[in-house]
Amino acid sequence: MAMSQAALKAEQALGHGDNATTAQDVAGTPAFNREQYGDPSEKMKALAWMGKNKVEVVECPKPKVIEDRDVILKVTGSTVCGSDLHLLHGTVVELEKGDILGHEFCGIVDEMGPGVKNLKKGDRVVASFQIACGDCMYCKQKLSSQCERTNANTIENAMYGGRTAGMFGYSHFTGGFAGGQAEYARVPYGDVNLLKLPDDVPDEKGLFLSDVVSTSWNCVVDTGVKQGDVVAIWGAGPIGQMAADFAWINGASRVIMIDSNWRLDYIKEKSPKVELIDYSKLPRGTSVVSKLKELVHGGPDVALECVAGEYAKGWAHYFEMMLGAETDTSEIINEQIESVKSFGRVGITGVYVGYTNHFNIGSLMERGVRLIGNGQAPVHLYWEKLLGMIQSGEIDPLRMVSHRVRVDDLAEVYYKFDKKEDQMQKVYVETRFSQPPCKGSPELTTYKS
């Protein structure tokens, strides 16, 4: 946590780069200029980060149009992502008290700048979690998550050798943009970063094009799952669940999922064909690696990492991370490298933010294992195709939605999601602007009066 705040102060001292063509650091903090960026005539509810392991629903001014291609949305649906928990824990650097969170949301166009030509007030749309300009080298290839013009953060550039795109509600490390776990959201370059939703796709399905559906698809296709592959997936959360569905679609012969607790039961109910390994119940002397070698001669062809690097399994990594000697554990990636067949493929989709120790580079090199950083998924490359798959019924994102909740209850939802309570797999967050629930939506669950 101290590292996160030190990084924020260092960024403020160093200053941003000069590459961004949209305003930076407008994440909704109390310190930002309300007259310039907010509309004090109307208040909204929003979920704000208030410190390590603390979030709070606050009342603040709704955003207003500040640039020609801005769109202001009435948010009709949002959700909580596993990667939001990295923000809750303070493991993603450069959060500021009061930052509005949330990178997955959909809504209704309420206001627009004069430069927006392809939308009109009242359109139903979903936002991509990344903010793309639509015109740089990466955007022209629809590799929207790597846009060169929406994130000017100097420290990210120094750490990674380049910058990602700006991202909604994901700290000043990715531009400092207010997120969509709120009743209103401002979308820069709205004509690029919003996709119209047709009448036959309800918000409860269309919302998930913003991240989880696109990210799961990218995980599978970028790692090269093909006909006949045996695919092992670490993590039985929503990304892992959708990745299993997409592995079947892309020809996998078997899918094996590794996790523990009730989430494996959820997968068993929703996808009975998936084989399950509960790593917490393996006999003494049996590891995840040895179990996979037992189940598959030589090991799986493909391993997909759908967890993240902040969850240490052993004491060594736990203390090294606590002391700041590393930011991410290499344990799961090592399991994957050691598990797959020689010349197998390992894809990393779970969030890793910095550096790791004890990485098994020897196995990677000697056995010819392909290690693929799937990157932040380029949503714009896939979302039209995936929308068509939702329309045809080939995929149904509602299969992963376990709860429907109110924006008022988001702080309680974060804490329960973090603790894996109430068998909370994926939530749909409604606001005062939401439509009545669609067919198949869970009943509303409330956590406070």
Side-chain angles (χ1 to χ4, degrees), residues 286-364:
T286 301
S287 65
V288 170
V289 174
S290 64
K291 185 64 178 177
L292 284 166
K293 301 283 189 181
E294 174 190 322
L295 292 172
V296 187
H297 178 68
D301 302 284
V302 176
L304 303 177
E305 204 285 20
C306 300
V307 185
E310 74 157 293
Y311 302 110
K313 295 174 73 174
W315 287 110
H317 284 280
Y318 174 83
F319 284 115
E320 287 177 13
M321 291 170 70
M322 185 175 68
L323 294 170
E326 65 177 2
T327 59
D328 304 275
T329 175
S330 59
E331 291 161 292
I332 290 175
I333 293 176
N334 283 343
E335 284 183 354
Q336 294 180 304
I337 291 169
E338 295 162 19
S339 294
V340 294
K341 288 181 173 69
S342 294
F343 302 104
R345 284 150 282 146
V346 175
I348 306 174
T349 283
V351 171
Y352 287 72
V353 297
Y355 301 94
T356 188
N357 300 324
H358 315 296
F359 174 67
N360 194 347
I361 195 169
S363 179
L364 184 80

Side-chain angles (χ1 to χ4, degrees), residues 85 262 414-422:
L85 298 180
W262 60 264
Y414 260 74
Y415 301 140
K416 288 184 177 294
F417 191 52
D418 184 35
K419 295 174 184 176
K420 296 184 174 65
E421 294 178 349
D422 288 5

Side-chain angles (χ1 to χ4, degrees), residues 211-226 229 231-235 238-247 250 257 302-307 336 345-351 372-379 381-382 386:
D211 181 0
V212 59
V213 172
S214 300
T215 294
S216 304
W217 179 261
N218 180 65
C219 175
V220 169
V221 300
D222 189 55
T223 314
V225 173
K226 63 183 187 301
D229 279 343
V231 178
I233 299 173
W234 274 251
I239 298 287
Q241 181 183 350
M242 291 299 300
D245 289 349
F246 289 140
N250 281 276
M257 192 168 289
V302 176
L304 303 177
E305 204 285 20
C306 300
V307 185
Q336 294 180 304
R345 284 150 282 146
V346 175
I348 306 174
T349 283
V351 171
I372 301 163
N374 300 128
Q376 297 289 351
V379 171
L381 186 62
Y382 305 123
L386 294 166

